Amino acid sequence: MVKCAIVGATGYVGAELCRLLTAHPQAEVTGVSSVSFEGQRLCDVYPSLRGTLELPLTDEDTAIRGSDVVFAAVPHGLSEALAGKVLGQGAAFIDMGADFRLEKEADYTQWYGGRYENPALHAQAVYGLPELFRDEIRRTRLIANPGCYPTSVALALAPAIRRGLIQTRHLVIDAKSGTTGAGRGLAQNTHFPDCNEGFGPYKTAQHRHTPEIEQTLSRLAGSPVSVTFVPHLLPINRGIISTIYAPLAKPLPQDAAVALYREFYAGERFVRVLGSGETANLRQVRCSNFCDISVHVDARTDTLVLVSAIDNMVKGAAGQAVQNMNLLFSLPEETGLTAAPAPF
């Protein structure tokens, strides 16, 4: 059994990790920590976990003691020191936040206002998107779990970029997320009266996931890729749907585009490429580790339109982290993640 500790277990991502890991046949949650609820039980904070996970919430040092892997579901700026401590104990570290996602310190400083106090530690980090960087993940002990929006975007665009189907000078990404993407702390736009029955963009062209998206796409392209990224807040709990517009490099028939995508993702357990005439919908991936992608060719404007749907709490966060853990410990990648999406 892989002994798992979760630091920041009472946030939405931490709680989702607990839910998934308690159903994992080869994992055991041995420690959970929380600053705000230390001394209580996790099931007191999330009653849905009664009878499933009733561990007491402790300080982080107690939680990580004796673990094989530590998941850090904490705000940015707090993971770097914790990672050094965990690796020093011989355990693996999976960071759910932003501290290790960006390769350049200057980008991290610009978008998050922090610095890299231990550059050697950052050099060990691998960006944990299994479908694209699986071999690298297997060779490290420090994983930067991708952001939710960047996951939906990278999986949608990877085949088109790798196969040279599109021009990458300027891509437009129109994305929508449920309110859990903002975390458990309240902001004005996530208060029920402000969010319910409303819909609109936020952080237009200035969202912190922008450099992460561009970094991954540039890596896939082998040259700089720029994007206009506009996220929107949906009045729902969970789910992300990203609609992406990319100019075609040359004319491409609709059926050929779908066939290429299916060939690219052949054998991938968690990416489902829909057929021509179908459109991805976040309802069909809810509570699952799947990413549904639909491919649309606008022949009139020579534009490739991609629609990508994920559950932001699972494939966009906790599920992908478990997928990474499975790779680190040489377990079948789908272990603990095979539950079908919730039908409603």
Side-chain angles (χ1 to χ4, degrees), residues 37-59:
F37 298 94
E38 185 177 339
Q40 298 184 47
R41 298 178 305 168
L42 186 63
C43 62
D44 295 329
V45 183
Y46 290 100
S48 61
L49 294 174
R50 287 174 183 159
T52 300
L53 187 62
E54 301 196 350
L55 289 174
L57 292 156
T58 68
D59 62 274

Side-chain angles (χ1 to χ4, degrees), residues 2-344:
V2 179
K3 297 178 181 179
C4 306
I6 301 158
V7 177
T10 55
Y12 289 143
V13 173
E16 189 75 349
L17 272 166
C18 292
R19 182 182 74 87
L20 293 174
L21 289 169
T22 53
H24 193 295
Q26 292 179 262
E28 178 188 5
V29 178
T30 56
V32 288
S33 79
S34 171
V35 173
S36 301
F37 298 94
E38 185 177 339
Q40 298 184 47
R41 298 178 305 168
L42 186 63
C43 62
D44 295 329
V45 183
Y46 290 100
S48 61
L49 294 174
R50 287 174 183 159
T52 300
L53 187 62
E54 301 196 350
L55 289 174
L57 292 156
T58 68
D59 62 274
E60 68 176 40
D61 287 339
T62 302
I64 69 176
R65 190 175 300 132
S67 61
D68 298 313
V69 59
V70 174
F71 298 87
V74 296
H76 70 270
L78 301 180
S79 290
E80 188 182 55
L82 178 58
K85 185 189 305 182
V86 169
L87 294 177
Q89 294 181 184
F93 187 78
I94 300 176
D95 185 24
M96 310 301 298
D99 283 13
F100 294 98
R101 291 174 186 165
L102 298 177
E103 296 171 0
K104 297 178 181 177
E105 181 181 0
D107 289 337
Y108 184 73
T109 300
Q110 177 184 347
W111 292 88
Y112 291 92
R115 297 186 59 82
Y116 291 172
E117 303 299 333
N118 189 343
L121 199 60
H122 289 266
Q124 300 177 42
V126 169
Y127 191 67
L129 190 48
E131 287 78 10
L132 303 181
F133 308 118
R134 183 174 285 117
D135 291 341
E136 295 176 38
I137 293 167
R138 288 192 176 109
R139 295 195 295 266
T140 190
R141 303 292 285 173
L142 174 53
I143 299 292
N145 212 63
C148 49
Y149 284 124
T151 294
S152 71
V153 172
L155 289 176
L157 279 167
I161 290 176
R162 284 269 178 88
R163 299 293 186 263
L165 303 183
I166 60 174
Q167 302 173 39
T168 57
R169 292 191 304 273
H170 180 216
L171 306 175
V172 176
I173 303 161
D174 183 305
K176 292 93 174 172
S177 174
T179 56
T180 49
R184 200 157 187 250
L186 277 175
Q188 187 63 43
N189 65 338
T190 58
H191 278 276
F192 183 82
D194 289 303
C195 180
N196 185 50
E197 298 186 24
F199 174 65
Y202 67 99
K203 297 182 181 177
T204 302
Q206 55 182 340
H207 193 281
R208 285 171 167 173
H209 282 176
T210 302
E212 183 182 343
I213 291 170
E214 291 185 337
Q215 175 181 279
T216 304
L217 299 184
S218 297
R219 181 176 174 184
L220 293 171
S223 59
V225 175
S226 62
V227 303
T228 294
F229 173 52
V230 182
H232 300 67
L233 184 66
L234 286 169
I236 60 174
N237 286 348
R238 54 167 75 210
I240 279 180
I241 191 150
S242 296
T243 305
I244 303 162
Y245 306 89
L248 286 166
K250 59 182 179 181
L252 178 69
Q254 170 69 36
D255 290 343
V258 171
L260 185 146
Y261 264 68
R262 286 185 165 170
E263 182 274 331
F264 187 92
Y265 283 121
E268 290 293 348
R269 180 70 173 81
F270 297 117
V271 179
R272 305 188 297 193
V273 178
L274 307 187
S276 293
E278 297 181 284
T279 303
N281 187 314
L282 56 80
R283 179 182 291 277
Q284 273 75 64
V285 297
R286 188 171 180 270
C287 298
S288 82
N289 201 51
F290 287 107
C291 174
D292 279 2
I293 299 172
S294 60
V295 183
H296 312 267
V297 175
D298 184 345
R300 189 178 62 84
T301 61
D302 284 330
T303 301
L304 183 66
V305 181
L306 303 164
V307 183
S308 173
I310 63 171
D311 186 312
N312 61 303
M313 287 288 102
V314 189
K315 184 57 176 169
Q320 186 145 258
V322 173
Q323 194 177 349
N324 281 318
M325 181 195 77
N326 290 338
L327 287 170
L328 289 179
F329 291 91
S330 301
L331 299 173
E333 199 168 322
E334 69 275 10
T335 306
L337 296 169
T338 57
F344 50 82

